[in-house]
Amino acid sequence: MLGAVRPAGLRAARSGAAMAARPRGGGRALAAGAGGAGGAAPPYKPTNIADAEGSPFFELGLKEVQEGAGRVRVRQHVNPLSSAFQTPTPAPDWRASYADPTLPLFVDCGCGPGRFLLLLARHDGRAGRDMNYLGLEIRQPLVERANKWAAELGLGGRVRYVFTNVSVSLAGLLASYPGPVAGLSAQFPDPMFKRRHRKRRMVQASVVQAARELLVPGGAPRRTARDGAGRRAAAPLRASRPPRRARRRRGRRRAAAAAAAGTVFLQSDVYGAAVAMRDEFEQHAGDVLELSPLHASARVFQWTPEQAAAEAAAAAQEQQRQRAAARQRRQGGGAQDGAQGGAEQQDGGAEQQQDEASEEPDGGAEQSQQDGGEAAFVSRWAAGGWLADNPLGVPTEREHYVAATGGRVYRVLLVKR
């Protein structure tokens, strides 16, 4: 975890071991030595579970990932209340960003590395759904790399990533989009367990208000235009019948919008974080949003604060056991173990938030909410349970990692009336 201070002796041991293990001559010497005299270097084997063969993202064939390049160093914890993130992000040139900016827009808030939208755009394209995709992320290196990936995959005209603070800029960005805003997702945000850090959570009242006002209702969206004051207004339908090709294209757009129109998808592997997002939307938009019918027809499960607390206690005991075992290993072979643990922090992709979830158990997050007086709010949506499967059919990097390690994910799908 960035910012953690390690003992000087441990840092020196890890640094010395890492330097001893590093071959002289830099990367060229390593490539020549690995392949033998005059031989080629062995193929790169990704250590990130999101890039490994068998991962759902492997089909993207991201060139930089496969060749071992394209890694970026990022801070896993960013303070969204910093003054650097308080200026609203100006809207991009939508016509330069998308080949057709009038298509329905799906927005992923806190998109992280960005593989989710790339895979979703590819799958929707195969299914004949015409949509645009917008990823919003507060860590600029991830945004720059994700836009490069989109260009490499030929998706630059449909997928765009923007460096921004979602809680500050979401409303302004969506209000400027010329087409309908059909869907919004908030997946695995930073849990922000501590009570004093709740104001740093991504899903704030401002985000809910933007979704409330700018999402189109369920079903086919209305065509919109700008009135004299720059506000969104219903556009009059043409009196003449459009050409057949235009009618077909409009039919595909309406079908795509109907599949995702007016939806809000929330998910997290941290129970307290999932409850906080669900309750935030219910309190501030419960009169216009409701649980999707999938909560009555698809596989769901119930989970209570008592179950979360019991699971958190068991997880805490397991963490203490693992830490004790790690201390014993360090005492027995500190230099070798330190070399393995001293690698520089990089984009973890699927492992993102692994350290965050271990800082405080799920039950602790829920308990902090109760201590803060939030228990007075009783959720009606809680009776609908949590979706057992992802309704979008495409995972995020974190979701893939949680599934691979046998974790549990809490999902809610909302629709606008």
Side-chain angles (χ1 to χ4, degrees):
M1 180 176 174
L2 282 180
V5 179
R6 294 173 178 167
L10 180 57
R11 289 200 305 269
R14 291 186 173 180
S15 176
M19 291 298 294
R22 183 181 302 169
R24 297 183 179 181
R28 294 183 180 178
L30 176 62
Y44 166 69
K45 294 183 179 180
T47 57
N48 188 342
I49 190 174
D51 302 329
E53 190 171 359
S55 163
F57 307 105
F58 189 77
E59 70 170 76
L60 293 175
L62 297 172
K63 180 179 178 181
E64 288 187 346
V65 172
Q66 303 304 334
E67 294 182 355
R71 297 184 177 185
V72 294
R73 298 187 63 181
V74 295
R75 297 184 66 90
Q76 296 231 355
H77 299 274
V78 176
N79 181 10
L81 299 182
S82 171
S83 59
F85 302 126
Q86 297 310 302
T87 303
T89 302
D93 183 352
W94 298 113
R95 298 193 177 279
S97 301
Y98 296 111
D100 185 354
T102 65
L103 289 176
L105 181 69
F106 181 89
V107 184
D108 187 27
C109 300
C111 63
R115 296 177 182 88
F116 162 74
L117 284 182
L118 297 176
L119 193 59
L120 182 63
R122 173 170 287 189
H123 285 197
D124 284 352
R126 292 171 182 169
R129 291 189 287 268
D130 294 334
M131 295 189 69
N132 289 331
Y133 305 87
L134 176 64
L136 305 179
E137 174 57 41
I138 200 170
R139 291 168 292 182
Q140 190 169 12
L142 296 183
V143 171
E144 295 173 351
R145 188 185 63 177
N147 279 321
K148 185 176 181 180
W149 282 350
E152 286 184 358
L153 296 175
L155 297 172
R158 296 176 58 200
V159 182
R160 172 69 185 267
Y161 300 89
V162 173
F163 166 56
T164 188
N165 184 349
V166 171
S167 61
V168 172
S169 304
L170 180 63
L173 289 173
L174 298 190
S176 67
Y177 184 70
V181 181
L184 182 144
S185 65
Q187 307 181 72
F188 305 93
D190 194 328
M192 297 295 178
F193 294 110
K194 297 180 181 179
R195 182 180 177 184
R196 66 177 183 271
H197 290 166
R198 288 184 205 164
K199 57 187 177 182
R200 300 182 181 181
R201 287 173 174 168
M202 183 182 69
V203 177
Q204 301 284 344
S206 60
V207 174
V208 179
Q209 188 66 21
R212 173 194 178 99
E213 295 180 356
L214 300 172
L215 276 177
V216 296
R222 299 189 303 271
R223 293 171 54 232
T224 60
R226 302 284 169 179
D227 59 16
R231 297 185 297 266
R232 301 172 72 88
L237 295 176
R238 292 183 181 178
S240 59
R241 186 177 179 85
R244 179 178 299 176
R245 180 179 300 177
R247 293 200 305 271
R248 271 195 234 137
R249 185 166 59 249
R250 183 182 302 171
R252 288 197 302 269
R253 293 176 185 173
R254 288 178 176 174
T263 60
V264 176
F265 181 50
L266 312 171
Q267 66 170 339
S268 176
D269 59 322
V270 178
Y271 177 73
V275 169
M277 289 193 294
R278 181 199 64 194
D279 291 355
E280 192 77 26
F281 271 90
E282 185 173 2
Q283 290 183 73
H284 297 287
D287 56 333
V288 297
L289 294 174
E290 61 186 1
L291 287 179
S292 166
L294 282 178
H295 281 268
S297 60
R299 292 195 309 134
V300 298
F301 66 93
Q302 295 288 345
W303 202 250
T304 65
E306 292 75 19
Q307 289 174 302
E311 185 179 60
Q317 292 179 356
E318 177 62 19
Q319 290 171 10
Q320 291 177 358
R321 186 193 65 80
Q322 293 179 359
R323 288 171 181 170
R327 280 195 296 269
Q328 292 179 358
R329 289 196 301 270
R330 285 197 297 268
Q331 293 172 358
Q336 182 176 0
D337 183 70
Q340 297 175 356
E344 64 181 9
Q345 182 178 4
Q346 299 169 336
D347 163 29
E351 291 85 353
Q352 190 177 1
Q353 296 180 343
Q354 181 180 10
D355 294 334
E356 298 172 4
S358 65
E359 291 179 359
E360 185 173 338
D362 304 65
E366 183 66 16
Q367 184 65 39
S368 67
Q369 293 178 3
Q370 295 174 2
D371 294 341
E374 296 184 14
F377 175 75
V378 178
S379 171
R380 294 180 294 104
W381 292 350
W386 306 98
L387 292 175
D389 303 307
N390 186 334
L392 302 182
V394 174
T396 68
E397 295 92 342
R398 175 67 182 176
E399 185 177 1
H400 173 60
Y401 171 77
V402 172
T405 55
R408 183 183 295 104
V409 178
Y410 308 92
R411 304 180 179 93
V412 172
L413 182 64
L414 309 174
V415 295
K416 188 174 183 180
R417 297 189 184 101

